[in-house]
Amino acid sequence: MKISDISSYLESIAPLSLQEDYDNSGLIVGEPDTLIHAALISLDCTEDIVDEAISKGCNLIISHHPIVFKGLKKFNNKNYVERAVMKAIKHDIALYAIHTNLDHISGGVNAKICEKLGLQNVQILSPKKNLLKKLVTFVPLCHVERVRNAVLEAGAGHIGNYSDCSFNVTGTGTFKAGENADPFVGKVNEVHQEEEVRVETIYPDYLERKVLVALLEAHPYEEVAYDLYPLSNSFYQAGAGMVGTLQTATDEMQFLQFAKSALGARVVRHTALRGKPVRRVAVCGGSGSFLLKAAIAAGADAFVTADFKYHEFFDAEGKIIISDMGHFESEQFTQELLFDIIKKKFPNFAIHLTAIDTNPINYLI
Ligand SMILES: [Zn+2]
């Protein structure tokens, strides 16, 4: 299997365009055509992880956090980033990161945390905006089903739990083929009227190429008429954080104890208890303080996340219990998630979960 086989599969699940602007997900070191013997999965990509890949015979490391965030100008082995990258290059080990794009999908990092906490009816906490587009095209009656099916199969037409969503209305199309045209219907230099169906559907922007290729392949006309509209609707299938409900309302201290053990946290830093049971819970793996307002607005009683700063804890204002579990702790199950995602598609491929705890934070208790 080539690196590109695995990367294109991962990117079909977590498209690179869903990553944040500051992020650097994707293939960081290596060439897409390289054959992979085995892959190592880790949360972080450190020098120790590269050593582990060498010892386990893995020539691909798939990590959640990218080892390279900013431009590297020098390679002098002066810090852990330079050392890890240089060691990987010297040993022909490819480095791949699947970071905020994996955070932003509905089956990603946060879904895994929700699963560990036993949350139900989970939804994206802060859905992506400006990601949806509308496709309108005009198809002769004889080809409507074929064209509609092609664009739907390419991924258009999903709204919540519904697929194959489209709207179709019949009307009359007119056109006059020019001298060099080879029209599917009508004659050159004659105005033609054709009964056509206006088919409209929606798709997320990252599927645009796939949807258009499907449209153009299935449509019988030489020149396909279609319109693409940006939509300001939110895209509820992708975005930051998640929110869900516990099966039964739980005493708040009991909930914190449960969340601590479910996520394997050594310490939980939390705001004052509110004297109310916890039923609705918001989660965000890693740094989640930017979602505090969204968590409160979603009616969450508790927010399970990490990396809150001192002053940010004050913002709970008695409206929610912020529970900071630690960055590594909240995201560690991402390794398991990646393992399952890859195993499902490539059951015979050799993948290893790292045996190294890369958490740079130690606790003195
Ligand atoms: Zn993280």
Side-chain angles (χ1 to χ4, degrees):
M1 195 158 68
K2 290 180 190 167
I3 290 177
S4 57
D5 294 325
I6 208 154
S7 63
S8 57
Y9 167 62
L10 289 174
E11 285 155 28
S12 73
I13 290 169
L16 288 178
S17 60
L18 288 182
Q19 69 181 305
E20 295 288 355
D21 294 340
Y22 64 79
D23 200 3
N24 190 30
S25 289
L27 186 59
I28 295 169
V29 170
E31 292 158 84
D33 285 341
T34 302
L35 291 173
I36 332 166
H37 319 303
L40 180 67
I41 294 173
S42 63
L43 191 69
D44 302 291
C45 179
T46 60
E47 213 183 345
D48 285 347
I49 295 288
V50 179
D51 284 334
E52 187 185 15
I54 295 166
S55 71
K56 288 184 170 160
C58 300
N59 62 338
L60 171 65
I61 296 170
I62 301 170
S63 67
H64 179 49
H65 295 133
I67 177 71
V68 180
F69 262 115
K70 299 176 217 151
L72 288 180
K73 290 188 173 177
K74 292 193 170 82
F75 294 86
N76 307 135
N77 275 348
K78 277 200 171 156
N79 56 47
Y80 79 96
V81 175
E82 292 178 16
R83 285 194 298 275
V85 170
M86 274 185 69
K87 191 171 257 187
I89 292 171
K90 278 185 182 168
H91 288 85
D92 279 329
I93 292 173
L95 305 180
Y96 185 87
I98 178 163
H99 189 211
T100 50
N101 49 330
L102 190 63
D103 288 332
H104 288 158
I105 58 166
S106 48
V109 174
N110 296 310
K112 195 74 193 167
I113 300 171
C114 290
E115 185 191 309
K116 294 285 172 190
L117 295 176
L119 299 180
Q120 301 175 329
N121 303 319
V122 295
Q123 332 166 253
I124 299 276
L125 183 58
S126 175
K128 285 257 182 198
K129 291 196 166 63
N130 305 318
L131 197 66
L132 276 179
K133 281 190 167 175
K134 172 163 279 200
L135 164 71
V136 175
T137 187
F138 307 87
V139 192
L141 282 179
C142 57
H143 274 68
V144 175
E145 232 169 271
R146 189 179 143 169
V147 170
R148 189 173 48 226
N149 288 343
V151 295
L152 295 175
E153 264 170 38
H158 284 269
I159 302 176
N161 291 326
Y162 292 78
S163 65
D164 301 87
C165 305
S166 72
F167 185 77
N168 305 266
V169 62
T170 308
T172 306
T174 72
F175 46 83
K176 182 162 91 175
E179 281 299 337
N180 299 319
D182 178 19
F184 175 70
V185 281
K187 294 194 174 98
V188 168
N189 282 330
E190 274 181 24
V191 174
H192 178 79
Q193 293 200 355
E194 180 72 19
E195 203 174 2
E196 292 175 346
V197 177
R198 173 190 164 107
V199 180
E200 52 185 276
T201 186
I202 57 166
Y203 61 90
D205 186 50
Y206 55 79
L207 288 179
E208 184 154 295
R209 221 183 81 82
K210 210 174 158 198
V211 169
L212 287 184
V213 167
L215 166 68
L216 297 178
E217 270 178 10
H219 202 293
Y221 284 3
E222 199 173 18
E223 298 293 345
V224 177
Y226 63 91
D227 307 326
L228 307 177
Y229 301 93
L231 299 178
S232 50
N233 308 44
S234 292
F235 182 51
Y236 292 94
Q237 274 73 52
M242 284 192 121
V243 61
T245 47
L246 293 165
Q247 200 166 11
T248 48
T250 309
D251 168 81
E252 44 197 359
M253 188 42 84
Q254 258 173 17
F255 171 74
L256 289 178
Q257 291 284 8
F258 158 70
K260 180 178 179 237
S261 86
L263 299 183
R266 302 275 305 278
V267 171
V268 178
R269 300 189 305 148
H270 65 89
T271 52
L273 301 184
R274 302 159 67 226
K276 290 178 187 172
V278 174
R279 180 80 199 256
R280 204 157 158 74
V281 178
V283 310
C284 178
S287 311
S289 60
F290 71 104
L291 284 175
L292 179 63
K293 275 190 184 153
I296 293 169
D301 305 301
F303 184 23
V304 173
T305 184
D307 288 358
F308 260 73
K309 292 181 187 166
Y310 177 78
H311 292 285
E312 291 168 344
F313 279 96
F314 284 105
D315 297 330
E317 300 257 33
K319 293 174 184 158
I320 196 166
I321 303 171
I322 296 168
S323 43
D324 186 326
M325 302 280 165
H327 195 122
F328 179 88
E329 288 78 1
S330 68
E331 291 187 331
Q332 59 184 312
F333 304 104
T334 305
Q335 299 175 161
E336 187 183 311
L337 171 75
L338 282 168
F339 186 88
D340 292 344
I341 287 174
I342 296 169
K343 261 294 181 228
K344 198 171 156 194
K345 171 82 175 176
F346 307 108
N348 298 321
F349 178 59
I351 40 173
H352 303 274
L353 278 175
T354 179
I356 297 171
D357 179 342
T358 53
N359 191 357
I361 299 170
N362 290 273
Y363 304 96
L364 177 67
I365 296 171

